[in-house]
């Protein structure tokens, strides 16, 4: 069976993306600790999902990234709270994305995943990058993925590719795909704030909640709001 590295936060997107490859690849999931407020909850979700799916799991600490970041994800700055209407307002969404931006996060994560892929003979790096978030996060975009794959082809002696099965999908389509592949979405944790129950009002929670609601599918996660 082929091997794959999954950049895995325990969130909805990476859970669905990794589940797509689960039957055809032996999964080695990596969860990064960069001082984010939600790390403990992300770790709990990641461990539970990996145990259920029989995926290998590892944590990598990046204290230096926490030290240089001024993101609201890992500082005392307040995480933005959005209304349902705000999600389709590009200006507000861009402001929210700017607040939670961690310097070169996906570039750092993917570079480390590439190193792991080379070391264990993995052919794929699975990511949860998707079309909906790619509109405001440049390191979630199809163009970014294309350039990174070109970089790997140029700079790695191994035949390794980034695989992003959600790259053209919005959240509703992601949830549909999760149902199709029987992804353990009920164990995933998407909230930026890191509370026991997901807050329900940060951008990540709002996009998740809207997708399940619009599809008429029950989200078994617990929310404060």
């Amino acid at each position: 069976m082929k091997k794959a590295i999954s950049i895995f936060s325990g969130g909805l997107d990476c859970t669905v993306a990794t589940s797509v490859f689960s039957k055809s690849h032996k999964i080695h999931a990596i969860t990064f600790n960069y001082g984010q407020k939600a790390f403990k909850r992300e770790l709990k979700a990641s461990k539970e999902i990996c145990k259920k799916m029989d995926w290998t799991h590892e944590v990598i600490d990046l204290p230096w990234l926490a030290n240089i970041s001024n993101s609201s994800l890992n500082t005392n700055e307040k995480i933005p709270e959005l209304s349902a209407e705000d999600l389709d307002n590009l200006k507000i969404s861009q402001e929210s994305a700017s607040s939670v931006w961690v310097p070169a996060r996906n570039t750092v994560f993917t570079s480390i995943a590439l190193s792991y892929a080379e070391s264990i003979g993995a052919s794929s790096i699975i990511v949860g990058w998707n079309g909906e978030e790619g509109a405001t996060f440049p390191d979630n975009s199809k163009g970014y993925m294309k350039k990174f794959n070109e970089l790997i082809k140029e700079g790695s002696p191994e035949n390794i590719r980034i695989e992003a099965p959600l790259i053209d999908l919005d959240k509703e389509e992601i949830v549909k795909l999760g149902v199709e592949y029987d992804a353990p979405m009920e164990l995933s944790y998407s909230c930026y704030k890191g509370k026991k129950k997901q807050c329900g009002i940060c951008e990540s929670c709002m996009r998740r909640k809207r997708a399940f609601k619009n599809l008429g599918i029950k989200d078994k996660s617990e929310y404060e709001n």
Side-chain angles (χ1 to χ4, degrees), residues 130-133 165-174 177:
N130 60 87
E132 185 162 326
E133 293 181 357
L166 319 181
I167 199 70
D168 292 317
L169 307 186
D170 62 25
K171 291 292 182 181
E172 289 181 28
E173 293 168 322
I174 291 168
L177 191 65

Side-chain angles (χ1 to χ4, degrees), residues 7 101-114 129 139 144 148 151:
I7 299 175
W101 179 264
V102 177
R105 179 176 60 177
N106 280 352
T107 302
V108 171
F109 290 0
T110 310
S111 297
I112 293 172
L114 173 60
W129 307 343
D139 60 357
Y144 176 81
F148 214 122
L151 177 67

Side-chain angles (χ1 to χ4, degrees), residues 155-221:
S156 174
E158 306 299 333
N159 185 21
I160 300 168
R161 282 187 56 80
I162 298 168
E163 301 287 357
L166 319 181
I167 199 70
D168 292 317
L169 307 186
D170 62 25
K171 291 292 182 181
E172 289 181 28
E173 293 168 322
I174 291 168
V175 172
K176 286 181 182 178
L177 191 65
V179 172
E180 178 183 346
Y181 280 88
D182 198 25
M185 296 184 288
E186 72 282 358
L187 298 178
S188 65
Y189 183 90
S190 301
C191 184
Y192 288 150
K193 295 188 177 183
K195 297 182 179 181
K196 185 174 181 180
K197 294 182 180 180
Q198 299 184 94
C199 74
I201 49 178
C202 69
E203 181 176 358
S204 184
C205 280
M206 289 296 293
R207 291 190 182 279
R208 175 184 178 131
K209 284 172 61 179
R210 181 175 69 172
F212 278 95
K213 180 180 179 181
N214 288 350
L215 290 170
I217 297 174
K218 180 176 175 57
D219 184 356
K220 297 179 182 179
S221 302

